[in-house]
Amino acid sequence: MKRIYAFLLALALGLALPLAASAQGTLEVTEEISVSADYDWTRFAGQGVTLNVYNWGEYISNGSDDSVDVVAAFEKLTGIEVNYTTFDSNESMYAKLKSGAASYDIVIPSDYMVAKMIAEDMLLPLNYDNIPNFQQINEEYHNPDYDPDNAYTVPYMLCTTGIIYNTTMVEQAPTCWADLWDEQYAGNILMFNNSRDAYAIGAFKMGKSINPATTAEVDEVVEELKAQKPLVQAYVMDEIFDKMIGGEAAIGVYYSGDAITMIDDNPDLAWVFPEEGSVLSVDCMCIPATSTQQEAAEMFINFMCEVDVGAANAEYIGYTTPMDAVWEVLDEELKYSEIAYPSEEIAAKEQVFTALSDEVNSELDMKWSEMKSYNEGGSGYLFLLLLLAMLALACFNIWRKVRRKNRNMY
């Protein structure tokens, strides 16, 4: 990984140590990261503040493989403790927040889920005075459809979907989403275990919008997914890492940055953007409406938008940065990666998710659940029949014993 310049951080026993400012207006603390010197990073020091951060799995530089431990660096710089946990899909994150089972101060959902959460008053408006690094975000990602006034979000990373496959198990490289319905891969296909991404694959295959406008569209595409199900080995999220790296499946679908990680770990793997197009998603940093630490949470968001921190994250996870200044300092291999930064021809075919109506969203949730449990329901029915048969046999044996005993009495 490219060596990134770093900052002087340091709190000991709740007291901030002197921070050295360079001529460039940065604070240097380690050999890996530097941060802006004109931001008050220590205003919460010694106050016992804790932030609960909820992010995707494998989605931050965490200190492994000689990477920067971004969370530890933030804690040392600010004196704020971070309770960092992960989720594996937008839907599971939303369900947990909606249930009130846990309270978080920062969450990182994808664009379409952001729109849903805004509509349901689940997010706090941001105070950008506390996030001056928002100016680092490329203007292309300002005022997006999912957050028209940039009231609630700061982009974190961008990703696209595509096909990852094992070159030793696949004779001819796949070219389209329809290849995931090819019977030669029966039992060797890994599919998304979330409704929106899986639906998009079926929609691309059928030449339909990835954002259904009616329940009839939902039903038609889910039927296509149901037809594919007998060929699918498993519906996965983070489980795909072990399965593809370990050669347990021939072909799968996932996100571009994670594909780079998997290919690094197993050079037999390769990636393709299907010819029908792919989904471009923007994952955003937001503050849930239940947070009681908004200002500290905004400090964390600002920290994540520091150039060196953004570069550390991008280089470790392989995702596409929304910050031009970060792209400039990336390792050359990632900077010109065709997976992280695809050609204009590929980018022209990208589509983005939009928020669905409540009716359509409910239909998708219901039909997805029905599709997922279809075979499982059949297996459960067979199990019930088997259980009833075993009970009947047991009753028959008891009856025979009682009958034999009665006969012996005579």
Side-chain angles (χ1 to χ4, degrees), residues 101-327:
S103 178
Y104 296 99
D105 301 296
I106 296 129
V107 294
I108 306 183
S110 301
D111 38 25
Y112 75 91
M113 188 57 73
V114 166
K116 180 177 176 66
M117 295 172 75
I118 291 174
E120 297 180 14
D121 296 324
M122 294 177 66
L123 300 177
L124 288 176
L126 299 176
N127 180 357
Y128 285 94
D129 290 341
N130 294 324
I131 314 173
N133 282 332
F134 180 73
Q135 65 185 343
Q136 301 280 6
I137 303 297
N138 189 314
E139 288 191 8
E140 180 181 353
Y141 305 108
H142 288 198
N143 306 312
D145 290 343
Y146 57 85
D147 183 13
D149 299 319
N150 265 129
Y152 301 92
T153 62
V154 174
Y156 174 56
M157 292 287 171
L158 289 70
C159 76
T160 46
T161 55
I163 297 175
I164 187 166
Y165 63 99
N166 191 313
T167 58
T168 67
M169 302 172 71
V170 174
E171 290 185 8
Q172 188 171 352
T175 60
C176 57
W177 293 115
D179 288 335
L180 298 170
W181 274 254
D182 192 326
E183 292 187 358
Q184 69 173 309
Y185 303 125
N188 264 316
I189 299 171
L190 302 177
M191 274 290 285
F192 278 117
N193 192 21
N194 75 73
S195 57
R196 283 306 293 270
D197 284 318
Y199 181 92
I201 293 173
F204 274 125
K205 178 181 182 290
M206 301 177 71
K208 295 183 176 297
S209 170
I210 65 172
N211 300 299
T214 66
T215 56
E217 289 180 63
V218 170
D219 297 348
E220 190 174 357
V221 172
V222 174
E223 282 299 313
E224 191 73 15
L225 294 175
K226 185 183 290 187
Q228 182 207 30
K229 185 171 183 182
L231 307 178
V232 175
Q233 179 191 117
Y235 294 89
V236 298
M237 292 304 293
D238 287 345
E239 304 94 329
I240 195 172
F241 286 93
D242 289 339
K243 284 182 173 291
M244 291 304 300
I245 293 171
E248 296 177 30
I251 189 168
V253 294
Y254 217 56
Y255 307 116
S256 52
D258 292 317
I260 291 175
T261 299
M262 287 185 271
I263 292 170
D264 282 345
D265 288 340
N266 183 350
D268 290 333
L269 301 178
W271 173 265
V272 63
F273 286 106
E275 60 190 22
E276 302 99 329
S278 59
V279 176
L280 170 66
S281 294
V282 181
D283 295 329
C284 302
M285 294 178 283
C286 316
I287 301 177
T290 54
S291 172
T292 59
Q293 300 290 348
Q294 179 171 356
E295 187 176 344
E298 289 164 345
M299 180 184 289
F300 183 88
I301 293 173
N302 192 62
F303 177 80
M304 295 286 274
C305 293
E306 285 287 334
V307 173
D308 286 355
V309 176
N313 284 328
E315 291 189 344
Y316 182 73
I317 66 179
Y319 278 82
T320 307
T321 177
M323 298 189 287
D324 289 339
V326 169
W327 182 83

Side-chain angles (χ1 to χ4, degrees), residues 379-393:
S379 298
Y381 179 68
L382 291 175
F383 176 78
L384 180 60
L385 287 178
L386 180 60
L387 181 60
L388 290 173
M390 291 173 65
L391 287 172
L393 181 60

Side-chain angles (χ1 to χ4, degrees), residues 21 60 62 73 94 97 192 207 236 260 274 284 305 337 344 375 399:
I60 195 170
N62 61 14
Y94 169 84
L97 265 67
F192 278 117
V236 298
I260 291 175
C284 302
C305 293
S337 166
E344 291 184 6
N375 284 348
W399 174 79

Side-chain angles (χ1 to χ4, degrees), residues 7 32-33 61-64 67-75 303 312:
F7 53 66
E32 297 165 322
I33 295 183
S61 180
N62 61 14
S64 62
S67 67
V68 178
D69 189 334
V70 165
V71 169
F74 175 80
E75 290 178 322
F303 177 80

